[in-house]
Amino acid sequence: MQARSAILGIGHYVPSRVVTNADLAKLMTTSDEWIVQRSGIRERRFIEHSGIGASDLALPAAKMALEHAGLDAKDVDAIIFATLSPDHNFPGSGCFLGHKMGLPGVPALDVRNQCSGFLYGLSVADAWVRAGVYERILLVGAEVHSTGIELADRGRDVAVLFGDGAGAAVIGRATNDAQGIKAIRLHADGSGARDLWLEAPASAYDPRLTHEMLDEGKHFPAMNGKQVFRWATEKMPEVVREVLAEANVDVGAIDLFVPHQANLRINQMVGQKLGIPEEKTVKNIEKYGNTTAATIPLGLSEAWREGRCDRGSNVLFAAFGSGYTWGGAVVTL
Ligand SMILES: CC(C)(COP(=O)(O)OP(=O)(O)OC[C@H]1O[C@@H](n2cnc3c(N)ncnc32)[C@H](O)[C@@H]1OP(=O)(O)O)[C@@H](O)C(=O)NCCC(=O)NCCS
């Protein structure tokens, strides 16, 4: 019989430096009131000093996930690293993480699917386990946004939304019949690629980055917020309905909903459309902002440790982000 995959362990890590909305208001024209009303965010974490990359945040999250799974680093057969803020342009952050974990020879794949990165990685890990290619996969989502956003008036629409953090999961064979990844659905639509993107450095330009581009801020993310909002509130419920149908699970049987945390208003609208009560929904955006690929594993890890889910719980994931990319998954822990 084909192996089924499961989440064997989960972990997270956030840097210690808390940056409040009031702190940001010292750097740009914004206010706590504007940020809370529009997004629900009250504070976020930033790395303590420069020199800390996505793989550095991933390392403690990975150790926590391995410990939760009762495994050691040497048990990892493959690494999947989802990030839009890799330590360096290349090689992938998975290579840096594998080296820091002392795993020479272990394959490392980077996934570039932004806020949906963890779910894209989960799909690859699930397929690898089911096909018998690798047995235990370390799947990480980690982001250092704070060094890549424009902390000034020009970048304020994006800068107030994002924070640094990491989450990690160990994906391996299910150990009982109930447990496992029941269904995953992924989507992308590049017609919205420029609605949320970081334009340069770019292989489409020669040279990839000029002083003019730096002056224009093309190395900072740019976003059409209203358009992203519209798409997210439509596509997240749509993909959840698809994945619940594929898993043959009723929405009422979901014990915990872990949506991507981009905007509290988006998640409230998604929850209402689906009929999922707030008490079953993870909400940590007020503490961390949007941590992109880290958000889903970070949310699950915290919820698990708070006792909001346990082995046997039915968990629903949903994400939407740059690309556009979006996805959903149903997992029994
Ligand atoms: C970004 C977002 C919070 C903006 O909320 P909004 O209600 O659409 O706000 P608007 O764009 O109408 O902006 C209103 C005003 O606030 C200003 N503004 C933008 N950022 C600001 C900030 N940080 N502080 C204060 N004012 C700000 C705008 O310039 C605009 O001013 P104007 O009316 O004089 O032009 C919202 O569109 C959103 O959350 N979109 C989705 C973003 C997202 O999910 N991104 C990640 C996807 S993974």
Side-chain angles (χ1 to χ4, degrees):
M1 201 190 79
Q2 199 186 41
R4 208 152 22 83
S5 81
I7 296 178
L8 304 183
I10 189 93
H12 70 278
Y13 175 78
V14 289
S16 59
R17 186 175 152 211
V18 176
V19 177
T20 65
N21 293 344
D23 293 330
L24 293 184
K26 291 176 200 148
L27 304 171
M28 62 190 83
T29 315
T30 192
S31 66
D32 180 55
E33 194 193 2
W34 192 97
I35 301 170
V36 172
Q37 268 183 10
R38 296 297 208 289
S39 70
I41 299 165
R42 295 182 184 278
E43 57 189 42
R44 71 287 293 139
R45 301 297 179 95
F46 282 2
I47 53 167
E48 295 83 0
H49 53 82
S50 73
I52 298 172
S55 70
D56 295 305
L57 301 189
L59 187 61
K63 285 182 179 163
M64 190 174 174
L66 283 165
E67 200 183 312
H68 190 215
L71 296 170
D72 288 327
K74 63 175 172 27
D75 297 318
V76 172
D77 299 318
I79 296 169
I80 301 176
F81 199 121
T83 185
L84 69 67
S85 51
D87 299 47
H88 298 280
N89 254 335
F90 72 84
S93 283
C95 294
F96 287 102
L97 178 63
H99 179 62
K100 284 168 188 164
M101 292 180 70
L103 295 175
V106 170
L109 170 73
D110 267 39
V111 168
R112 296 286 310 271
N113 290 78
Q114 301 70 248
C115 299
S116 312
F118 184 79
L119 295 185
Y120 270 74
L122 189 66
S123 177
V124 175
D126 173 53
W128 276 351
V129 170
R130 283 192 290 112
V133 177
Y134 299 113
E135 219 171 292
R136 284 172 301 266
I137 295 146
L138 176 64
L139 168 60
V140 176
E143 307 283 0
V144 174
H145 282 304
S146 55
T147 52
I149 47 180
E150 189 170 24
L151 295 164
D153 279 7
R154 185 174 62 180
R156 66 180 181 169
D157 60 328
V158 175
V160 300
L161 301 178
F162 291 92
D164 303 341
V170 182
I171 311 300
R173 288 188 181 179
T175 54
N176 62 63
D177 288 346
Q179 189 187 34
I181 296 173
K182 299 283 163 68
I184 306 177
R185 292 297 287 254
L186 305 174
H187 295 283
D189 185 339
S191 67
R194 289 174 175 77
D195 282 338
L196 179 47
W197 70 329
L198 193 149
E199 193 177 342
S203 67
Y205 303 144
D206 188 6
R208 295 181 175 192
L209 187 65
T210 61
H211 291 289
E212 290 71 31
M213 288 184 213
L214 285 170
D215 290 343
E216 288 164 24
K218 293 206 190 294
H219 59 303
F220 293 121
M223 179 176 72
N224 178 346
K226 284 196 191 332
Q227 196 66 357
V228 175
F229 195 99
R230 214 169 293 133
W231 274 71
T233 48
E234 186 188 318
K235 295 300 179 190
M236 281 170 76
E238 209 173 275
V239 74
V240 163
R241 288 191 185 105
E242 278 173 30
V243 81
L244 285 171
E246 192 177 317
N248 200 19
V249 170
D250 189 81
V251 71
I254 293 298
D255 301 302
L256 187 73
F257 178 32
V258 190
H260 178 56
Q261 311 276 314
N263 184 313
L264 185 59
R265 289 186 300 146
I266 292 178
N267 287 354
Q268 285 168 340
M269 285 173 77
V270 170
Q272 276 162 16
K273 281 188 183 183
L274 293 166
I276 302 177
E278 281 192 16
E279 60 272 17
K280 284 188 177 182
T281 305
V282 166
K283 177 176 78 93
N284 60 16
I285 190 167
E286 67 270 30
K287 291 191 292 181
Y288 302 133
N290 183 349
T291 57
T292 311
T295 303
I296 287 182
L298 170 55
L300 177 63
S301 179
E302 277 200 336
W304 203 325
R305 285 167 176 90
E306 287 162 6
R308 295 183 66 190
C309 60
D310 207 343
R311 291 278 168 225
S313 299
N314 290 322
V315 178
L316 170 68
F317 301 127
F320 182 87
S322 160
Y324 293 125
T325 58
W326 63 102
V330 177
V331 177
T332 303
L333 297 178

